[in-house]
């Protein structure tokens, strides 16, 4: 090296030496050889918080809603009364049947009295056997009519009991379409009950259906932080170009059914070049990594992609600027 006083050549040579010293690998520096790594490709979608079962509580008879015992958000148990529907015509039928039963009971009492007297008369030969058989037949006919009316009355009583709308299962009341005083037809929905626990229901584009399988790990992002779930079921029916899937999540907040939650699904794998996050530096709006060549170190411009977490450490995907086999130098702490 030629020194010329304190001139420009000496200063340029000095800066070159400093640059070489700054880029020379230290004893504690680490190197990472670049190689394509399989990474999971994720797709972010929204899932809805749903109950496993949605069962409507229906009216079994037609009539007027005279009692409504639940509101949206109430918790009910199987068999609990939800509402009462009354049909005044059934009450009139009961009154009419009771009146007919009373009349038949009076006639039956008279017929039985005539039969008892006939038994005494036939023993003395006052009446014929035919007349006695007629008395016995009259009693049998009246007893048969009374039995038929009693059965008919039991049917009407059962219809009145069916005016009680019962919860089909344990769960939470999601909606109550009926209102107090409204007229309901048989089979009309009085309330909708959600039960069987809660899960996330997803609707995914059908192109991702082949990449999903039950048991896959699902990442869920919420206000309480990231958590994991399990893909419990993939439905075989595709509607509108979308396939439905259910995700089970422990401790899922079920206060609001239908709430949307951001979910990340594994939809495939791809090859990517990853380097530790610490190997990247930024200068002048560009991203650099230090690459070790045969003779020295080179700062190379790269285009980074997303950040991934592997074994608890942060890695950065490099889209362009590195090739498989390159050795990247990790700077000292």
């Amino acid at each position: 090296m030629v020194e010329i006083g304190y001139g420009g050549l000496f200063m340029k040579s000095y800066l070159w030496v400093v640059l070489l010293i700054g880029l020379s690998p230290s004893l504690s520096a680490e190197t990472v050889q670049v190689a394509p790594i399989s990474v999971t490709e994720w797709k972010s979608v929204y899932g809805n918080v749903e109950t496993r079962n949605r069962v409507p509580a229906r009216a079994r008879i037609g009539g007027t809603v005279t009692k409504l015992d639940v509101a949206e958000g109430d918790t009910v148990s199987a068999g609990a009364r939800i509402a009462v529907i009354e049909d005044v015509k059934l009450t009139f039928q009961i009154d009419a049947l009771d009146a007919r039963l009373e009349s038949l009971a009076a006639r039956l009492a008279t017929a039985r009295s005539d039969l008892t007297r006939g038994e005494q008369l036939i023993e003395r030969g006052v009446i014929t056997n035919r007349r006695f058989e007629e008395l016995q037949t009259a009693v049998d006919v009246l007893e048969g009519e009374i039995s038929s009316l009693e059965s008919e009355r039991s049917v009407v009583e059962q219809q009145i009991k069916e005016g009680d709308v019962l919860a089909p299962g344990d769960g939470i009341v999601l909606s109550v379409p009926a209102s107090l005083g409204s007229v309901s037809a048989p089979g009309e929905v009085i309330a909708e009950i959600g039960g069987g626990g809660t899960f996330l229901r997803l609707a995914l584009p059908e192109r991702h259906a082949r990449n999903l399988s039950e048991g896959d790990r699902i990442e869920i992002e919420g206000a309480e932080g990231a958590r994991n779930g399990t893909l419990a079921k993939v439905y075989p029916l595709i509607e509108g170009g979308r396939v439905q899937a259910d995700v089970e999540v422990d401790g899922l907040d079920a206060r609001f059914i239908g709430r949307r939650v951001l979910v990340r699904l594994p939809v495939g794998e791809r090859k990517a070049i990853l380097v530790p996050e610490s190997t990247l530096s930024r200068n002048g709006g560009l991203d650099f990594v230090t690459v070790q060549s045969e003779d020295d170190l080179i700062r190379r411009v790269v285009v980074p992609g997303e950040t991934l977490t592997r074994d608890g450490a942060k890695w950065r995907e490099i889209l362009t600027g590195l090739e498989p086999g390159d050795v990247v130098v990790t700077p000292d702490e």
Side-chain angles (χ1 to χ4, degrees):
M1 182 183 300
V2 179
E3 291 189 18
I4 305 177
Y6 292 93
L9 182 59
F10 173 78
M11 292 300 296
K12 290 181 181 179
S13 300
Y14 176 76
L15 291 174
W16 176 248
V17 173
V18 172
L19 182 61
L20 289 178
I21 295 175
L23 293 179
S24 62
S26 63
L27 295 176
S28 60
E30 297 181 357
T31 59
V32 177
Q33 187 171 10
V34 173
I37 300 175
S38 295
V39 296
T40 302
E41 188 171 358
W42 300 85
K43 178 175 178 60
S44 295
V45 297
Y46 278 99
N48 293 330
V49 179
E50 298 285 351
T51 56
R52 188 173 303 280
N53 304 317
R54 277 197 175 194
V55 184
R58 300 182 182 273
R60 294 179 287 179
I61 65 171
T64 304
V65 180
T66 58
K67 291 183 180 180
L68 199 58
D69 300 330
V70 298
E72 291 85 349
D74 291 347
T75 302
V76 296
S77 56
R81 192 181 72 180
I82 291 176
V84 176
I85 298 175
E86 292 184 0
D87 187 355
V88 294
K89 297 190 298 295
L90 298 178
T91 304
F92 294 154
Q93 290 182 24
I94 288 290
D95 294 340
L97 290 173
D98 287 341
R100 292 176 61 186
L101 286 172
E102 290 178 1
S103 175
L104 289 175
R107 291 173 57 188
L108 179 61
T110 302
R112 285 176 175 172
S113 178
D114 292 342
L115 180 60
T116 301
R117 188 165 51 253
E119 290 175 350
Q120 297 173 355
L121 294 176
I122 197 172
E123 290 178 356
R124 291 182 293 178
V126 177
I127 62 173
T128 62
N129 289 335
R130 180 177 179 180
R131 176 57 183 166
F132 179 77
E133 291 176 355
E134 290 177 353
L135 295 175
Q136 181 66 54
T137 301
V139 172
D140 293 341
V141 170
L142 290 172
E143 289 178 346
E145 289 183 4
I146 290 175
S147 178
S148 175
L149 285 178
E150 288 177 345
S151 298
E152 187 175 345
R153 190 180 191 280
S154 298
V155 171
V156 178
E157 287 179 342
Q158 181 61 34
Q159 289 179 333
I160 294 175
K161 291 180 180 178
E162 289 178 353
D164 291 347
V165 181
L166 307 179
D170 299 338
I172 185 172
V173 179
L174 301 179
S175 64
V176 184
S179 59
L180 196 64
S182 62
V183 177
S184 174
E188 188 171 343
V189 177
I190 304 300
E192 189 176 26
I193 311 300
T198 55
F199 62 95
L200 287 177
R201 174 158 291 176
L202 313 177
L204 308 171
E206 59 181 310
R207 65 179 180 273
H208 298 308
R210 296 180 180 273
N211 299 322
L212 300 176
S213 58
E214 296 180 3
D216 286 349
R217 181 177 64 89
I218 308 299
E219 293 185 359
I220 297 124
E221 299 179 9
E224 61 276 6
R227 59 199 312 180
N228 293 329
T230 304
L231 191 63
K233 185 176 182 62
V234 179
Y235 291 89
L237 180 62
I238 296 178
E239 294 181 322
R242 291 187 171 271
V243 59
Q244 287 189 347
D246 293 343
V247 179
E248 289 185 349
V249 184
D250 293 335
L252 183 65
D253 187 0
R255 290 177 298 172
F256 301 102
I257 305 301
R259 178 172 60 93
R260 298 206 308 166
V261 178
L262 186 61
V263 178
R264 297 178 68 237
L265 292 172
V267 294
E269 289 190 351
R270 58 185 174 83
K271 296 293 185 179
I273 293 178
L274 303 180
V275 297
E277 181 78 23
S278 58
T279 61
L280 286 166
S281 61
R282 191 170 183 82
N283 188 10
L286 299 177
D287 294 285
F288 296 87
V289 294
T290 302
V291 179
Q292 182 177 1
S293 64
E294 296 181 357
D295 300 327
D296 54 7
L297 301 180
I298 302 173
R299 294 187 69 197
R300 187 177 295 176
V301 178
V302 295
V303 177
E306 62 178 327
T307 302
L308 305 174
T309 302
R310 297 174 61 86
D311 299 329
K314 289 186 177 181
W315 292 67
R316 195 73 174 271
E317 181 181 359
I318 302 301
L319 303 179
T320 59
L322 290 179
E323 297 292 337
D326 289 343
V327 178
V328 176
V329 178
T330 302
D332 297 334
E333 297 294 339

